[in-house]
Amino acid sequence: MEPPEMINVGDVVLKRWEPAWADHATMAVRELLPELKPFLPWATDAYDVEASRAFIEMSIANWDNGTAFNYGIFTGAGDFAGGIGLMTRMGPGVLEIGYWMRTAFTGRGYMTTAVEALTRVALTLPGIERVAIRHDVANAASAAVAAKAGFVEAGRVQSEPEAPGETGTEIISERRATQGF
Ligand SMILES: CC(C)(COP(=O)(O)OP(=O)(O)OC[C@H]1O[C@@H](n2cnc3c(N)ncnc32)[C@H](O)[C@@H]1OP(=O)(O)O)[C@@H](O)C(=O)NCCC(=O)NCCS
């Protein structure tokens, strides 16, 4: 199972991570810390270029061993806009999508477009029946993206909060291959 290294939907282009983007990614994450810190445990004031490089190296290794497929998000004009990825950690038959978008590019529908495009691709991969998004109930922006991209709540799970804005209740939303586009 391997998705394409580039997914081009015009306004938004997803590309498999490359080491050369570490500086852009660091700036983007640092600028987005107020939105990231409440919900993503890796987003801390200590986030620096070494953390970005480690993330990119891990993404390259995970892609090669088939456990996660992480992309940088670019605008059609070539600006670095964020990150999105498919993870196998929920088990066989399902891929989980995670995402973040640089402040300067939020609110333009780019993330909804990126999630829809990646979901469409994921549902064509062998053995994949559904795509899931997991987010804390307090993460209204993530919930809005999931709903706009056609994901439907499939359940709620309790988990130990790992970031300061988390309540401990996570919503799992899904899109299924049988749903169509
Ligand atoms: C989640 C995130 C990617 C949304 O990015 P975005 O650029 O606003 O997404 P879109 O432009 O595609 O907008 C989708 C919808 O979300 C809505 N939205 C955005 N922020 C919102 C908020 N705080 N509360 C409620 N709705 C919100 C938008 O209004 C839009 O709906 P509309 O078109 O009907 O107005 C961005 O806020 C982010 O990076 N957050 C931090 C990382 C994160 O939490 N990731 C998810 C982890 S599970």
PDB file of all heavy atoms in Angstrom, residues 32 35-36 39-40 97-103 105-113 133-136 139-146 148, ligand 1:
ATOM      1  N   LEU A  32       2.001  29.160  14.461  1.00  0.00           N
ATOM      2  CA  LEU A  32       0.694  28.545  14.734  1.00  0.00           C
ATOM      3  C   LEU A  32       0.575  28.012  16.170  1.00  0.00           C
ATOM      4  O   LEU A  32      -0.460  27.477  16.549  1.00  0.00           O
ATOM      5  CB  LEU A  32       0.466  27.412  13.713  1.00  0.00           C
ATOM      6  CG  LEU A  32      -0.908  26.759  13.638  1.00  0.00           C
ATOM      7  CD1 LEU A  32      -1.982  27.786  13.281  1.00  0.00           C
ATOM      8  CD2 LEU A  32      -0.929  25.628  12.618  1.00  0.00           C
ATOM      9  N   GLU A  35      -2.664  28.067  18.250  1.00  0.00           N
ATOM     10  CA  GLU A  35      -3.746  27.153  17.842  1.00  0.00           C
ATOM     11  C   GLU A  35      -3.359  25.683  18.049  1.00  0.00           C
ATOM     12  O   GLU A  35      -4.213  24.841  18.291  1.00  0.00           O
ATOM     13  CB  GLU A  35      -4.107  27.347  16.360  1.00  0.00           C
ATOM     14  CG  GLU A  35      -4.939  28.577  16.063  1.00  0.00           C
ATOM     15  CD  GLU A  35      -4.108  29.852  16.017  1.00  0.00           C
ATOM     16  OE1 GLU A  35      -2.924  29.773  15.613  1.00  0.00           O
ATOM     17  OE2 GLU A  35      -4.611  30.906  16.430  1.00  0.00           O
ATOM     18  N   LEU A  36      -2.058  25.401  17.909  1.00  0.00           N
ATOM     19  CA  LEU A  36      -1.613  24.001  18.002  1.00  0.00           C
ATOM     20  C   LEU A  36      -1.501  23.521  19.453  1.00  0.00           C
ATOM     21  O   LEU A  36      -1.862  22.387  19.769  1.00  0.00           O
ATOM     22  CB  LEU A  36      -0.243  23.827  17.332  1.00  0.00           C
ATOM     23  CG  LEU A  36      -0.175  23.984  15.817  1.00  0.00           C
ATOM     24  CD1 LEU A  36       1.283  23.987  15.357  1.00  0.00           C
ATOM     25  CD2 LEU A  36      -0.938  22.861  15.112  1.00  0.00           C
ATOM     26  N   PHE A  39      -4.116  21.421  21.517  1.00  0.00           N
ATOM     27  CA  PHE A  39      -4.568  20.095  21.085  1.00  0.00           C
ATOM     28  C   PHE A  39      -3.473  19.140  20.628  1.00  0.00           C
ATOM     29  O   PHE A  39      -3.746  17.949  20.456  1.00  0.00           O
ATOM     30  CB  PHE A  39      -5.600  20.252  19.953  1.00  0.00           C
ATOM     31  CG  PHE A  39      -6.788  21.071  20.369  1.00  0.00           C
ATOM     32  CD1 PHE A  39      -7.059  22.303  19.798  1.00  0.00           C
ATOM     33  CD2 PHE A  39      -7.623  20.607  21.373  1.00  0.00           C
ATOM     34  CE1 PHE A  39      -8.135  23.068  20.202  1.00  0.00           C
ATOM     35  CE2 PHE A  39      -8.718  21.365  21.787  1.00  0.00           C
ATOM     36  CZ  PHE A  39      -8.976  22.597  21.203  1.00  0.00           C
ATOM     37  N   LEU A  40      -2.270  19.629  20.371  1.00  0.00           N
ATOM     38  CA  LEU A  40      -1.229  18.750  19.852  1.00  0.00           C
ATOM     39  C   LEU A  40      -0.028  18.753  20.803  1.00  0.00           C
ATOM     40  O   LEU A  40       0.657  19.767  20.943  1.00  0.00           O
ATOM     41  CB  LEU A  40      -0.823  19.183  18.433  1.00  0.00           C
ATOM     42  CG  LEU A  40      -1.989  19.083  17.429  1.00  0.00           C
ATOM     43  CD1 LEU A  40      -1.683  19.793  16.129  1.00  0.00           C
ATOM     44  CD2 LEU A  40      -2.349  17.643  17.140  1.00  0.00           C
ATOM     45  N   ILE A  97      -6.531  10.494   9.392  1.00  0.00           N
ATOM     46  CA  ILE A  97      -5.950  11.723   8.849  1.00  0.00           C
ATOM     47  C   ILE A  97      -5.703  12.726   9.978  1.00  0.00           C
ATOM     48  O   ILE A  97      -6.570  12.942  10.822  1.00  0.00           O
ATOM     49  CB  ILE A  97      -6.892  12.393   7.813  1.00  0.00           C
ATOM     50  CG1 ILE A  97      -7.031  11.515   6.566  1.00  0.00           C
ATOM     51  CG2 ILE A  97      -6.366  13.757   7.403  1.00  0.00           C
ATOM     52  CD1 ILE A  97      -7.696  12.236   5.389  1.00  0.00           C
ATOM     53  N   GLY A  98      -4.512  13.328   9.977  1.00  0.00           N
ATOM     54  CA  GLY A  98      -4.207  14.441  10.881  1.00  0.00           C
ATOM     55  C   GLY A  98      -3.781  15.637  10.048  1.00  0.00           C
ATOM     56  O   GLY A  98      -3.281  15.469   8.938  1.00  0.00           O
ATOM     57  N   TYR A  99      -3.970  16.864  10.586  1.00  0.00           N
ATOM     58  CA  TYR A  99      -3.677  18.045   9.759  1.00  0.00           C
ATOM     59  C   TYR A  99      -3.463  19.307  10.580  1.00  0.00           C
ATOM     60  O   TYR A  99      -3.935  19.419  11.707  1.00  0.00           O
ATOM     61  CB  TYR A  99      -4.814  18.296   8.766  1.00  0.00           C
ATOM     62  CG  TYR A  99      -6.211  18.142   9.323  1.00  0.00           C
ATOM     63  CD1 TYR A  99      -6.811  19.139  10.064  1.00  0.00           C
ATOM     64  CD2 TYR A  99      -6.932  16.965   9.111  1.00  0.00           C
ATOM     65  CE1 TYR A  99      -8.091  18.993  10.573  1.00  0.00           C
ATOM     66  CE2 TYR A  99      -8.212  16.805   9.626  1.00  0.00           C
ATOM     67  CZ  TYR A  99      -8.790  17.828  10.351  1.00  0.00           C
ATOM     68  OH  TYR A  99     -10.049  17.679  10.868  1.00  0.00           O
ATOM     69  N   TRP A 100      -2.731  20.239   9.992  1.00  0.00           N
ATOM     70  CA  TRP A 100      -2.605  21.600  10.546  1.00  0.00           C
ATOM     71  C   TRP A 100      -2.322  22.559   9.396  1.00  0.00           C
ATOM     72  O   TRP A 100      -1.742  22.188   8.386  1.00  0.00           O
ATOM     73  CB  TRP A 100      -1.515  21.679  11.622  1.00  0.00           C
ATOM     74  CG  TRP A 100      -0.153  21.253  11.172  1.00  0.00           C
ATOM     75  CD1 TRP A 100       0.360  19.986  11.201  1.00  0.00           C
ATOM     76  CD2 TRP A 100       0.877  22.083  10.611  1.00  0.00           C
ATOM     77  NE1 TRP A 100       1.630  19.976  10.701  1.00  0.00           N
ATOM     78  CE2 TRP A 100       1.982  21.251  10.327  1.00  0.00           C
ATOM     79  CE3 TRP A 100       0.974  23.446  10.339  1.00  0.00           C
ATOM     80  CZ2 TRP A 100       3.157  21.743   9.778  1.00  0.00           C
ATOM     81  CZ3 TRP A 100       2.153  23.931   9.785  1.00  0.00           C
ATOM     82  CH2 TRP A 100       3.226  23.075   9.519  1.00  0.00           C
ATOM     83  N   MET A 101      -2.771  23.796   9.567  1.00  0.00           N
ATOM     84  CA  MET A 101      -2.667  24.797   8.486  1.00  0.00           C
ATOM     85  C   MET A 101      -2.086  26.087   9.031  1.00  0.00           C
ATOM     86  O   MET A 101      -2.518  26.567  10.087  1.00  0.00           O
ATOM     87  CB  MET A 101      -4.073  25.036   7.920  1.00  0.00           C
ATOM     88  CG  MET A 101      -4.229  26.124   6.886  1.00  0.00           C
ATOM     89  SD  MET A 101      -3.455  25.741   5.309  1.00  0.00           S
ATOM     90  CE  MET A 101      -4.425  24.355   4.740  1.00  0.00           C
ATOM     91  N   ARG A 102      -1.088  26.627   8.322  1.00  0.00           N
ATOM     92  CA  ARG A 102      -0.453  27.897   8.697  1.00  0.00           C
ATOM     93  C   ARG A 102      -1.481  29.010   8.837  1.00  0.00           C
ATOM     94  O   ARG A 102      -2.381  29.128   7.992  1.00  0.00           O
ATOM     95  CB  ARG A 102       0.490  28.310   7.572  1.00  0.00           C
ATOM     96  CG  ARG A 102       1.880  28.375   7.933  1.00  0.00           C
ATOM     97  CD  ARG A 102       2.663  28.706   6.702  1.00  0.00           C
ATOM     98  NE  ARG A 102       3.149  30.073   6.793  1.00  0.00           N
ATOM     99  CZ  ARG A 102       3.835  30.654   5.826  1.00  0.00           C
ATOM    100  NH1 ARG A 102       4.073  30.031   4.707  1.00  0.00           N
ATOM    101  NH2 ARG A 102       4.274  31.867   5.999  1.00  0.00           N
ATOM    102  N   THR A 103      -1.325  29.823   9.873  1.00  0.00           N
ATOM    103  CA  THR A 103      -2.301  30.874  10.174  1.00  0.00           C
ATOM    104  C   THR A 103      -2.655  31.719   8.951  1.00  0.00           C
ATOM    105  O   THR A 103      -3.829  31.997   8.693  1.00  0.00           O
ATOM    106  CB  THR A 103      -1.741  31.813  11.279  1.00  0.00           C
ATOM    107  OG1 THR A 103      -1.178  31.002  12.308  1.00  0.00           O
ATOM    108  CG2 THR A 103      -2.817  32.697  11.846  1.00  0.00           C
ATOM    109  N   PHE A 105      -2.956  31.042   6.032  1.00  0.00           N
ATOM    110  CA  PHE A 105      -3.745  30.366   4.992  1.00  0.00           C
ATOM    111  C   PHE A 105      -5.029  29.738   5.523  1.00  0.00           C
ATOM    112  O   PHE A 105      -5.745  29.075   4.773  1.00  0.00           O
ATOM    113  CB  PHE A 105      -2.878  29.300   4.297  1.00  0.00           C
ATOM    114  CG  PHE A 105      -1.712  29.907   3.589  1.00  0.00           C
ATOM    115  CD1 PHE A 105      -0.451  29.898   4.155  1.00  0.00           C
ATOM    116  CD2 PHE A 105      -1.877  30.530   2.359  1.00  0.00           C
ATOM    117  CE1 PHE A 105       0.629  30.494   3.514  1.00  0.00           C
ATOM    118  CE2 PHE A 105      -0.806  31.127   1.711  1.00  0.00           C
ATOM    119  CZ  PHE A 105       0.446  31.112   2.290  1.00  0.00           C
ATOM    120  N   THR A 106      -5.331  29.930   6.816  1.00  0.00           N
ATOM    121  CA  THR A 106      -6.566  29.335   7.339  1.00  0.00           C
ATOM    122  C   THR A 106      -7.784  30.122   6.844  1.00  0.00           C
ATOM    123  O   THR A 106      -7.663  31.254   6.368  1.00  0.00           O
ATOM    124  CB  THR A 106      -6.593  29.310   8.888  1.00  0.00           C
ATOM    125  OG1 THR A 106      -6.380  30.624   9.365  1.00  0.00           O
ATOM    126  CG2 THR A 106      -5.573  28.366   9.452  1.00  0.00           C
ATOM    127  N   GLY A 107      -8.936  29.473   6.950  1.00  0.00           N
ATOM    128  CA  GLY A 107     -10.199  30.149   6.623  1.00  0.00           C
ATOM    129  C   GLY A 107     -10.448  30.326   5.140  1.00  0.00           C
ATOM    130  O   GLY A 107     -11.341  31.067   4.745  1.00  0.00           O
ATOM    131  N   ARG A 108      -9.658  29.639   4.288  1.00  0.00           N
ATOM    132  CA  ARG A 108      -9.862  29.769   2.835  1.00  0.00           C
ATOM    133  C   ARG A 108     -10.394  28.478   2.222  1.00  0.00           C
ATOM    134  O   ARG A 108     -10.477  28.378   0.997  1.00  0.00           O
ATOM    135  CB  ARG A 108      -8.536  30.103   2.145  1.00  0.00           C
ATOM    136  CG  ARG A 108      -7.875  31.358   2.662  1.00  0.00           C
ATOM    137  CD  ARG A 108      -6.681  31.692   1.799  1.00  0.00           C
ATOM    138  NE  ARG A 108      -5.808  32.653   2.444  1.00  0.00           N
ATOM    139  CZ  ARG A 108      -4.734  33.182   1.859  1.00  0.00           C
ATOM    140  NH1 ARG A 108      -4.409  32.819   0.631  1.00  0.00           N
ATOM    141  NH2 ARG A 108      -3.992  34.050   2.497  1.00  0.00           N
ATOM    142  N   GLY A 109     -10.659  27.497   3.074  1.00  0.00           N
ATOM    143  CA  GLY A 109     -11.162  26.228   2.558  1.00  0.00           C
ATOM    144  C   GLY A 109     -10.073  25.286   2.073  1.00  0.00           C
ATOM    145  O   GLY A 109     -10.347  24.178   1.607  1.00  0.00           O
ATOM    146  N   TYR A 110      -8.806  25.701   2.202  1.00  0.00           N
ATOM    147  CA  TYR A 110      -7.719  24.850   1.710  1.00  0.00           C
ATOM    148  C   TYR A 110      -7.664  23.511   2.439  1.00  0.00           C
ATOM    149  O   TYR A 110      -7.415  22.474   1.836  1.00  0.00           O
ATOM    150  CB  TYR A 110      -6.362  25.542   1.871  1.00  0.00           C
ATOM    151  CG  TYR A 110      -6.105  26.702   0.946  1.00  0.00           C
ATOM    152  CD1 TYR A 110      -5.115  27.635   1.246  1.00  0.00           C
ATOM    153  CD2 TYR A 110      -6.819  26.871  -0.241  1.00  0.00           C
ATOM    154  CE1 TYR A 110      -4.847  28.707   0.403  1.00  0.00           C
ATOM    155  CE2 TYR A 110      -6.551  27.939  -1.077  1.00  0.00           C
ATOM    156  CZ  TYR A 110      -5.573  28.851  -0.752  1.00  0.00           C
ATOM    157  OH  TYR A 110      -5.303  29.914  -1.581  1.00  0.00           O
ATOM    158  N   MET A 111      -7.890  23.557   3.786  1.00  0.00           N
ATOM    159  CA  MET A 111      -7.762  22.297   4.510  1.00  0.00           C
ATOM    160  C   MET A 111      -8.900  21.350   4.148  1.00  0.00           C
ATOM    161  O   MET A 111      -8.680  20.144   4.006  1.00  0.00           O
ATOM    162  CB  MET A 111      -7.718  22.540   6.023  1.00  0.00           C
ATOM    163  CG  MET A 111      -7.347  21.301   6.787  1.00  0.00           C
ATOM    164  SD  MET A 111      -5.821  20.524   6.144  1.00  0.00           S
ATOM    165  CE  MET A 111      -4.588  21.411   7.072  1.00  0.00           C
ATOM    166  N   THR A 112     -10.089  21.887   3.964  1.00  0.00           N
ATOM    167  CA  THR A 112     -11.194  21.023   3.547  1.00  0.00           C
ATOM    168  C   THR A 112     -10.853  20.369   2.210  1.00  0.00           C
ATOM    169  O   THR A 112     -11.045  19.158   2.026  1.00  0.00           O
ATOM    170  CB  THR A 112     -12.499  21.844   3.439  1.00  0.00           C
ATOM    171  OG1 THR A 112     -12.729  22.486   4.695  1.00  0.00           O
ATOM    172  CG2 THR A 112     -13.681  20.970   3.099  1.00  0.00           C
ATOM    173  N   THR A 113     -10.319  21.148   1.282  1.00  0.00           N
ATOM    174  CA  THR A 113      -9.919  20.614  -0.028  1.00  0.00           C
ATOM    175  C   THR A 113      -8.855  19.530   0.134  1.00  0.00           C
ATOM    176  O   THR A 113      -8.917  18.472  -0.500  1.00  0.00           O
ATOM    177  CB  THR A 113      -9.364  21.755  -0.915  1.00  0.00           C
ATOM    178  OG1 THR A 113     -10.381  22.738  -1.056  1.00  0.00           O
ATOM    179  CG2 THR A 113      -8.934  21.261  -2.275  1.00  0.00           C
ATOM    180  N   ILE A 133     -11.070  10.659  11.228  1.00  0.00           N
ATOM    181  CA  ILE A 133     -10.473  11.851  11.833  1.00  0.00           C
ATOM    182  C   ILE A 133     -10.807  11.781  13.315  1.00  0.00           C
ATOM    183  O   ILE A 133     -11.970  11.563  13.680  1.00  0.00           O
ATOM    184  CB  ILE A 133     -11.045  13.147  11.214  1.00  0.00           C
ATOM    185  CG1 ILE A 133     -10.608  13.267   9.748  1.00  0.00           C
ATOM    186  CG2 ILE A 133     -10.583  14.372  12.010  1.00  0.00           C
ATOM    187  CD1 ILE A 133     -11.239  14.442   9.000  1.00  0.00           C
ATOM    188  N   ARG A 134      -9.794  11.911  14.176  1.00  0.00           N
ATOM    189  CA  ARG A 134     -10.006  11.919  15.633  1.00  0.00           C
ATOM    190  C   ARG A 134      -9.655  13.300  16.151  1.00  0.00           C
ATOM    191  O   ARG A 134      -8.574  13.797  15.864  1.00  0.00           O
ATOM    192  CB  ARG A 134      -9.054  10.929  16.319  1.00  0.00           C
ATOM    193  CG  ARG A 134      -9.328   9.491  16.028  1.00  0.00           C
ATOM    194  CD  ARG A 134      -8.200   8.646  16.593  1.00  0.00           C
ATOM    195  NE  ARG A 134      -8.289   8.590  18.044  1.00  0.00           N
ATOM    196  CZ  ARG A 134      -8.399   7.442  18.728  1.00  0.00           C
ATOM    197  NH1 ARG A 134      -8.403   6.300  18.100  1.00  0.00           N
ATOM    198  NH2 ARG A 134      -8.477   7.462  20.039  1.00  0.00           N
ATOM    199  N   HIS A 135     -10.572  13.908  16.884  1.00  0.00           N
ATOM    200  CA  HIS A 135     -10.231  15.194  17.485  1.00  0.00           C
ATOM    201  C   HIS A 135     -10.967  15.356  18.806  1.00  0.00           C
ATOM    202  O   HIS A 135     -12.035  14.763  19.016  1.00  0.00           O
ATOM    203  CB  HIS A 135     -10.568  16.356  16.532  1.00  0.00           C
ATOM    204  CG  HIS A 135     -12.013  16.475  16.222  1.00  0.00           C
ATOM    205  ND1 HIS A 135     -12.904  17.068  17.080  1.00  0.00           N
ATOM    206  CD2 HIS A 135     -12.746  16.032  15.168  1.00  0.00           C
ATOM    207  CE1 HIS A 135     -14.111  17.001  16.557  1.00  0.00           C
ATOM    208  NE2 HIS A 135     -14.056  16.370  15.404  1.00  0.00           N
ATOM    209  N   ASP A 136     -10.389  16.148  19.687  1.00  0.00           N
ATOM    210  CA  ASP A 136     -11.035  16.417  20.967  1.00  0.00           C
ATOM    211  C   ASP A 136     -12.348  17.175  20.731  1.00  0.00           C
ATOM    212  O   ASP A 136     -12.440  17.984  19.794  1.00  0.00           O
ATOM    213  CB  ASP A 136     -10.099  17.247  21.855  1.00  0.00           C
ATOM    214  CG  ASP A 136     -10.569  17.267  23.297  1.00  0.00           C
ATOM    215  OD1 ASP A 136     -11.401  18.146  23.641  1.00  0.00           O
ATOM    216  OD2 ASP A 136     -10.132  16.391  24.066  1.00  0.00           O
ATOM    217  N   ASN A 139     -12.099  20.860  20.039  1.00  0.00           N
ATOM    218  CA  ASN A 139     -11.407  21.375  18.849  1.00  0.00           C
ATOM    219  C   ASN A 139     -12.423  21.688  17.741  1.00  0.00           C
ATOM    220  O   ASN A 139     -12.635  20.911  16.803  1.00  0.00           O
ATOM    221  CB  ASN A 139     -10.352  20.365  18.365  1.00  0.00           C
ATOM    222  CG  ASN A 139      -9.395  20.985  17.355  1.00  0.00           C
ATOM    223  OD1 ASN A 139      -9.688  22.031  16.768  1.00  0.00           O
ATOM    224  ND2 ASN A 139      -8.259  20.341  17.151  1.00  0.00           N
ATOM    225  N   ALA A 140     -13.054  22.869  17.853  1.00  0.00           N
ATOM    226  CA  ALA A 140     -14.141  23.249  16.942  1.00  0.00           C
ATOM    227  C   ALA A 140     -13.657  23.389  15.501  1.00  0.00           C
ATOM    228  O   ALA A 140     -14.384  23.052  14.558  1.00  0.00           O
ATOM    229  CB  ALA A 140     -14.771  24.551  17.409  1.00  0.00           C
ATOM    230  N   ALA A 141     -12.429  23.890  15.307  1.00  0.00           N
ATOM    231  CA  ALA A 141     -11.921  24.078  13.940  1.00  0.00           C
ATOM    232  C   ALA A 141     -11.742  22.728  13.256  1.00  0.00           C
ATOM    233  O   ALA A 141     -12.124  22.552  12.087  1.00  0.00           O
ATOM    234  CB  ALA A 141     -10.610  24.848  13.961  1.00  0.00           C
ATOM    235  N   SER A 142     -11.192  21.759  13.978  1.00  0.00           N
ATOM    236  CA  SER A 142     -10.995  20.433  13.395  1.00  0.00           C
ATOM    237  C   SER A 142     -12.342  19.771  13.102  1.00  0.00           C
ATOM    238  O   SER A 142     -12.529  19.137  12.051  1.00  0.00           O
ATOM    239  CB  SER A 142     -10.172  19.562  14.342  1.00  0.00           C
ATOM    240  OG  SER A 142      -9.817  18.366  13.707  1.00  0.00           O
ATOM    241  N   ALA A 143     -13.299  19.943  14.019  1.00  0.00           N
ATOM    242  CA  ALA A 143     -14.642  19.387  13.807  1.00  0.00           C
ATOM    243  C   ALA A 143     -15.275  19.978  12.553  1.00  0.00           C
ATOM    244  O   ALA A 143     -15.925  19.268  11.773  1.00  0.00           O
ATOM    245  CB  ALA A 143     -15.524  19.665  15.027  1.00  0.00           C
ATOM    246  N   ALA A 144     -15.078  21.288  12.339  1.00  0.00           N
ATOM    247  CA  ALA A 144     -15.678  21.951  11.173  1.00  0.00           C
ATOM    248  C   ALA A 144     -15.075  21.407   9.877  1.00  0.00           C
ATOM    249  O   ALA A 144     -15.789  21.173   8.904  1.00  0.00           O
ATOM    250  CB  ALA A 144     -15.477  23.461  11.269  1.00  0.00           C
ATOM    251  N   VAL A 145     -13.759  21.198   9.873  1.00  0.00           N
ATOM    252  CA  VAL A 145     -13.109  20.646   8.678  1.00  0.00           C
ATOM    253  C   VAL A 145     -13.653  19.239   8.396  1.00  0.00           C
ATOM    254  O   VAL A 145     -14.010  18.912   7.258  1.00  0.00           O
ATOM    255  CB  VAL A 145     -11.569  20.606   8.854  1.00  0.00           C
ATOM    256  CG1 VAL A 145     -10.910  19.800   7.751  1.00  0.00           C
ATOM    257  CG2 VAL A 145     -11.007  22.023   8.881  1.00  0.00           C
ATOM    258  N   ALA A 146     -13.733  18.403   9.453  1.00  0.00           N
ATOM    259  CA  ALA A 146     -14.217  17.022   9.272  1.00  0.00           C
ATOM    260  C   ALA A 146     -15.631  17.028   8.681  1.00  0.00           C
ATOM    261  O   ALA A 146     -15.920  16.312   7.711  1.00  0.00           O
ATOM    262  CB  ALA A 146     -14.184  16.279  10.604  1.00  0.00           C
ATOM    263  N   LYS A 148     -17.193  19.461   7.009  1.00  0.00           N
ATOM    264  CA  LYS A 148     -17.237  20.003   5.645  1.00  0.00           C
ATOM    265  C   LYS A 148     -16.674  19.010   4.624  1.00  0.00           C
ATOM    266  O   LYS A 148     -17.078  19.019   3.467  1.00  0.00           O
ATOM    267  CB  LYS A 148     -16.444  21.306   5.571  1.00  0.00           C
ATOM    268  CG  LYS A 148     -17.167  22.457   6.231  1.00  0.00           C
ATOM    269  CD  LYS A 148     -16.631  23.783   5.793  1.00  0.00           C
ATOM    270  CE  LYS A 148     -17.146  24.131   4.406  1.00  0.00           C
ATOM    271  NZ  LYS A 148     -16.576  25.390   3.914  1.00  0.00           N
TER     272      LYS A 148
HETATM  273  C1  LIG B   1      -8.095  22.793  11.958  1.00  0.00           C
HETATM  274  C2  LIG B   1      -7.479  23.745  10.935  1.00  0.00           C
HETATM  275  C3  LIG B   1      -6.580  22.963  10.010  1.00  0.00           C
HETATM  276  C4  LIG B   1      -8.627  24.395  10.140  1.00  0.00           C
HETATM  277  O1  LIG B   1      -8.073  25.132   9.088  1.00  0.00           O
HETATM  278  P1  LIG B   1      -8.954  26.098   8.185  1.00  0.00           P
HETATM  279  O2  LIG B   1      -8.034  26.712   7.201  1.00  0.00           O
HETATM  280  O3  LIG B   1      -9.753  27.004   9.041  1.00  0.00           O
HETATM  281  O4  LIG B   1      -9.920  25.115   7.416  1.00  0.00           O
HETATM  282  P2  LIG B   1     -10.932  25.547   6.281  1.00  0.00           P
HETATM  283  O5  LIG B   1     -10.598  26.894   5.725  1.00  0.00           O
HETATM  284  O6  LIG B   1     -11.005  24.393   5.323  1.00  0.00           O
HETATM  285  O7  LIG B   1     -12.275  25.772   7.092  1.00  0.00           O
HETATM  286  C5  LIG B   1     -13.156  24.771   7.421  1.00  0.00           C
HETATM  287  C6  LIG B   1     -14.301  25.336   8.257  1.00  0.00           C
HETATM  288  O8  LIG B   1     -13.852  25.433   9.613  1.00  0.00           O
HETATM  289  C7  LIG B   1     -14.398  26.605  10.179  1.00  0.00           C
HETATM  290  N1  LIG B   1     -13.580  26.981  11.318  1.00  0.00           N
HETATM  291  C8  LIG B   1     -12.279  27.340  11.308  1.00  0.00           C
HETATM  292  N2  LIG B   1     -11.891  27.630  12.565  1.00  0.00           N
HETATM  293  C9  LIG B   1     -12.968  27.437  13.369  1.00  0.00           C
HETATM  294  C10 LIG B   1     -13.204  27.560  14.770  1.00  0.00           C
HETATM  295  N3  LIG B   1     -12.225  27.929  15.620  1.00  0.00           N
HETATM  296  N4  LIG B   1     -14.445  27.272  15.243  1.00  0.00           N
HETATM  297  C11 LIG B   1     -15.424  26.869  14.416  1.00  0.00           C
HETATM  298  N5  LIG B   1     -15.264  26.722  13.078  1.00  0.00           N
HETATM  299  C12 LIG B   1     -14.052  27.007  12.568  1.00  0.00           C
HETATM  300  C13 LIG B   1     -14.332  27.585   9.061  1.00  0.00           C
HETATM  301  O9  LIG B   1     -15.181  28.670   9.321  1.00  0.00           O
HETATM  302  C14 LIG B   1     -14.767  26.742   7.871  1.00  0.00           C
HETATM  303  O10 LIG B   1     -16.166  26.682   7.750  1.00  0.00           O
HETATM  304  P3  LIG B   1     -16.954  27.669   6.743  1.00  0.00           P
HETATM  305  O11 LIG B   1     -16.308  27.526   5.400  1.00  0.00           O
HETATM  306  O12 LIG B   1     -18.340  27.152   6.800  1.00  0.00           O
HETATM  307  O13 LIG B   1     -16.779  29.040   7.296  1.00  0.00           O
HETATM  308  C15 LIG B   1      -6.633  24.845  11.615  1.00  0.00           C
HETATM  309  O14 LIG B   1      -7.480  25.590  12.461  1.00  0.00           O
HETATM  310  C16 LIG B   1      -5.480  24.328  12.402  1.00  0.00           C
HETATM  311  O15 LIG B   1      -4.403  24.097  11.862  1.00  0.00           O
HETATM  312  N6  LIG B   1      -5.665  24.119  13.728  1.00  0.00           N
HETATM  313  C17 LIG B   1      -4.609  23.613  14.607  1.00  0.00           C
HETATM  314  C18 LIG B   1      -4.249  22.154  14.360  1.00  0.00           C
HETATM  315  C19 LIG B   1      -5.360  21.194  14.685  1.00  0.00           C
HETATM  316  O16 LIG B   1      -6.107  21.377  15.629  1.00  0.00           O
HETATM  317  N7  LIG B   1      -5.430  20.125  13.870  1.00  0.00           N
HETATM  318  C20 LIG B   1      -6.385  19.084  14.024  1.00  0.00           C
HETATM  319  C21 LIG B   1      -5.931  18.093  15.038  1.00  0.00           C
HETATM  320  S1  LIG B   1      -7.167  16.786  15.195  1.00  0.00           S
END
